[in-house]
Amino acid sequence: MVNGRWHALRSWLWPGHCLLCRARAPADEELCEGCRAQLPWITAACPRCAAPLPQGSAAVLCGSCQRKKRPAFNRACAALHYTPPVDRLIMNLKYHHRLELARTLGRLLAESLRQLADRPDVIVPVPLHPSRLRQRGYNQSLEIARVIAKRLDLPVVTRGARRVRATATQTALPLKERARNVRNAFAVNGDLEGKHVAIVDDVMTSGHTVSALAKALRRAGAKEISVWVVARA
């Protein structure tokens, strides 16, 4: 009760401002209640690839997953649709050095994961190739993963997974070329024998990148692999 009163007093004395509409936001929060409620949350999705399904759909595989071979990961979860304003937030984090947005996006993803019963042993963010990391200066997936790890009290593997090939940006390629682009692009050091690993990334489109990383994690001994992404395109 005391903590609740202190938080309320703090919000009144030192209010923040919503990063979307600039209205008053609660202390330590980046979004006002109105903007948070209007975000494009995914309420029904394919349990394997996280593709959004029509509202009220049962937990069945989407048509694509029913036709395709099972991916290297077991399941995927996405918090939001990759539509405005989420796409803008991710682009600003990824390409415009808005590192503070990692906390916002990580919190939103962590919020959607709190009800998961099967918790992983470790989190592995999708790594960048060293040349891309030098150019950008940070890995947005790692920054998001750190927020989730703190919220869910899970360890993050920061050095075990490596991108060993400098690949072209997936979004610049036709869908049919994306699997080949990231084939054998990752290597994993360390023993993950029997562990449940959660891959963390910002956006999932075709799923080829996380699938390529999942294959490398399997070779390192991972028994079960989940994919957690902020948004699903």
Side-chain angles (χ1 to χ4, degrees):
M1 183 180 295
V2 172
N3 287 338
R5 289 176 177 174
W6 166 242
H7 184 75
L9 178 61
R10 214 175 143 198
S11 297
W12 182 76
L13 291 174
W14 301 291
H17 290 88
C18 176
L19 57 84
L20 293 176
C21 71
R22 305 307 299 167
R24 176 180 284 195
D28 297 325
E29 296 290 340
E30 299 86 18
L31 299 174
C32 68
E33 293 181 3
C35 286
R36 176 182 286 271
Q38 292 177 22
L39 287 173
W41 296 97
I42 294 177
T43 55
C46 173
R48 181 176 293 174
C49 75
L53 297 175
Q55 181 70 28
S57 297
V60 296
L61 297 181
C62 66
S64 179
C65 282
Q66 291 180 37
R67 294 189 300 270
K68 291 181 179 178
K69 180 181 176 182
R70 188 182 186 95
F73 51 87
N74 298 87
R75 66 189 65 82
C77 178
L80 300 151
H81 295 267
Y82 189 63
T83 55
V86 177
D87 55 353
R88 187 172 78 249
L89 296 177
I90 290 175
M91 293 291 282
N92 282 334
L93 166 62
K94 200 168 183 175
Y95 299 115
H96 300 292
H97 298 270
R98 294 282 306 278
L99 278 169
E100 75 278 7
L101 295 177
R103 186 173 80 153
T104 305
L105 297 171
R107 283 180 168 184
L108 294 173
L109 178 51
E111 183 177 322
S112 71
L113 296 168
R114 285 194 177 279
Q115 303 304 318
L116 292 181
D118 191 9
R119 291 167 62 87
D121 299 300
V122 295
I123 294 174
V124 174
V126 173
L128 293 178
H129 188 267
S131 61
R132 184 70 56 82
L133 184 60
R134 285 193 297 271
Q135 179 185 30
R136 187 172 297 169
Y138 58 92
N139 178 358
Q140 75 282 350
S141 297
L142 173 57
E143 299 305 319
I144 292 170
R146 283 173 170 157
V147 176
I148 297 169
K150 184 176 180 180
R151 286 267 167 155
L152 303 183
D153 193 24
L154 293 169
V156 182
V157 175
T158 58
R159 297 182 182 274
R162 297 175 295 121
R163 192 182 290 246
V164 295
R165 285 201 304 108
T167 58
T169 302
Q170 288 285 81
T171 54
L173 298 173
L175 283 175
K176 62 182 180 181
E177 295 182 19
R178 294 183 183 184
R180 182 173 56 187
N181 183 50
V182 293
R183 187 176 299 140
N184 299 320
F186 300 100
V188 177
N189 299 329
D191 183 13
L192 295 173
E193 193 66 38
K195 291 189 180 297
H196 178 184
V197 179
I199 297 173
V200 170
D201 205 3
D202 51 359
V203 183
M204 180 174 171
T205 304
S206 65
H208 292 308
T209 298
V210 291
S211 187
L213 177 55
K215 289 176 182 177
L217 292 168
R218 293 283 188 199
R219 292 192 290 269
K223 181 180 180 181
E224 194 168 353
I225 300 174
S226 299
V227 174
W228 295 348
V229 294
V230 176
R232 185 65 161 88

